[in-house]
Amino acid sequence: MITLEKASTPLKGQIFVPGDKSISHRSIMFGALAEGSSEITGFLDSADCQSTIECFRKMGIIIEHTQRPMNGVPIITVHGKGLRGLQAPTSSLYTGNSGTTTRLMTGILSAQDFESTISGDSSIEKRPMDRVITPLSQMGADIVSLRGNKCCPLHIKGNPGLHGITYRSPIASAQVKSSIILAGLYAEGDTVVHEPAMSRNHTETMLHAFGADIYNELDVNGAGTAILHPGVPLRGIKINVPGDISSAAYFIAAAILVPGSEVIIRNVGINKTRSGLIAVLQQMGADIELINVDNSMEPRADIVVRHSYLHGTKNGRFEIAGRRIPTLIDEIPIIAVIAATADFETVIKDAAELKVKESNRIDTVVDNLKAMGADIESTPDGMIIRGGKKLKGADIDSHMDHRIAMSFAIASLVAEGTTRILDDHCVGISYPSFFKDLQNLVHSN
Ligand code: S3P
């Protein structure tokens, strides 16, 4: 448990947040399936990405940590063995808390010529896997949920003869899309995934950089399609992972909320399929500027944020819904914290997916914000936050969800009194040095 107090001085200075989690996972996976070595800098060294590394090591992939001799920059080298180079693991593949590892690897394992079992922690064991089992089975995969509850542990028989499909996904999910595409790399014929709104497209941009024949289409209504023509081998590449916008989100919020603050967050990924938070906050009236924009494979920028009075919209109500939701899905807990302190009502809709994240994030956000004195209620697909109440310190149950722990650590900066966060160590899933970095900024004056 960690004890936090209201910030007594503005937050000033610059910060580098750790590497993007989605891109880091994919760097290891795609590097393993490529021919030749891939060199990754900016890799996120956290529990979730470590789970991915350990799984691929168990399948015979050599993954080395070294440092660049000139400047000590950490480098991860993945010695890829090509699409058909994975070896049968001798024991169950343990994915810890990581939904991305579990779902993407299920796609890869479905196409192997060996059997495997995937298991994870108690949160993973509750998260739905039928969303990948259904389409992968249509491709010819043989996947069994060992407890018959459509969740992990999964037993995957492996079928080297999968066939491509055209799949209309009922949800906008990059994990589902990526799982199907990864199986599609091995399949006979094209694989096409339509989604009701475009989810993060790191799999498409990165596989393209590894040499795959893959692209996205966005239709006028915002629905997205990923199209893969298989048969092209992947080749190892160099990847420089940008900072994670989902981690930067906490410091963006802190700077907006604490009077007098001005913070620069350096080298943050601003891929359009991920940066809905910035657009929403700017529309609410936040003073956020992107400088030093670099449009590389995964675009990045420095983000300058100043304390802001948020005014919302003219009718006193701000709605976040529809195709915007996938672009900020992991940021909804911190958006709810910001909204609770603003002077208007925020309605979050079309976000039922929050119920099946690391915790039920509709409940964990609503319950904890209520404990802090906010006026908030849950709805079947989101929440309504009537801002303007003064927050007070409370005991926060993180439910072992890293994004809940970090969001409420930021809420504590503007709450009267003491806030205690239970199981604060769960931040190690995506951001092991979060509390140290936060304390440095809080004591920057
Ligand atoms: C992720 C996709 C999102 C996101 C998760 C990471 C990814 O999940 O919430 O934290 O790396 O593909 P869904 O695909 O289930 O929406």
Side-chain angles (χ1 to χ4, degrees), residues 17 48 66 160 208 229 256 295 348 374 444:
V17 291
D48 258 15
T66 52
H208 182 76
H229 305 299
I256 289 172
N295 281 315
I348 300 174
S444 54

Side-chain angles (χ1 to χ4, degrees), residues 4-6 391-394 412 415-419:
L4 301 162
E5 301 292 337
K6 185 173 177 181
L391 298 185
K392 55 180 172 39
S412 80
E416 246 7 282
T418 303
T419 296

Side-chain angles (χ1 to χ4, degrees), residues 300-318:
R300 58 205 73 199
D302 296 339
I303 303 180
V304 185
V305 199
R306 298 180 191 90
H307 170 62
S308 313
Y309 168 71
L310 301 184
H311 48 67
T313 51
K314 284 200 183 93
N315 63 6
R317 189 171 176 274
F318 195 94

Side-chain angles (χ1 to χ4, degrees), residues 287-304:
D287 184 350
I288 303 180
E289 218 183 311
L290 300 188
I291 58 170
N292 301 324
V293 176
D294 167 359
N295 281 315
S296 23
M297 169 183 78
E298 282 289 350
R300 58 205 73 199
D302 296 339
I303 303 180
V304 185

Side-chain angles (χ1 to χ4, degrees), residues 42-87:
F43 184 78
L44 170 63
D45 187 6
S46 78
D48 258 15
C49 297
Q50 201 54 41
S51 294
T52 296
I53 289 183
E54 289 313 321
C55 287
F56 279 85
R57 281 188 173 144
K58 271 193 169 180
M59 292 189 281
I61 300 297
I62 294 170
I63 301 168
E64 292 174 309
H65 295 248
T66 52
Q67 285 183 343
R68 196 167 276 155
M70 311 286 280
N71 50 15
V73 168
I75 303 177
I76 305 277
T77 307
V78 183
H79 297 278
K81 290 190 169 178
L83 282 174
R84 290 280 168 214
L86 296 179
Q87 289 164 15

Side-chain angles (χ1 to χ4, degrees), residues 22 26 100 103 131 172-175 200 329-330 353 357:
S22 294
R26 287 162 171 80
T100 304
R103 298 203 176 107
R131 55 183 55 201
S173 160
Q175 292 180 357
R200 63 191 66 190
I329 186 74
D330 291 341
E353 274 295 296
K357 294 292 176 188

Side-chain angles (χ1 to χ4, degrees), residues 156-179:
I156 303 165
K157 202 160 173 205
N159 173 7
L162 297 182
H163 50 88
I165 53 168
T166 294
Y167 187 66
R168 280 196 182 277
S169 178
I171 45 174
S173 160
Q175 292 180 357
V176 170
K177 171 175 66 177
S178 304
S179 183

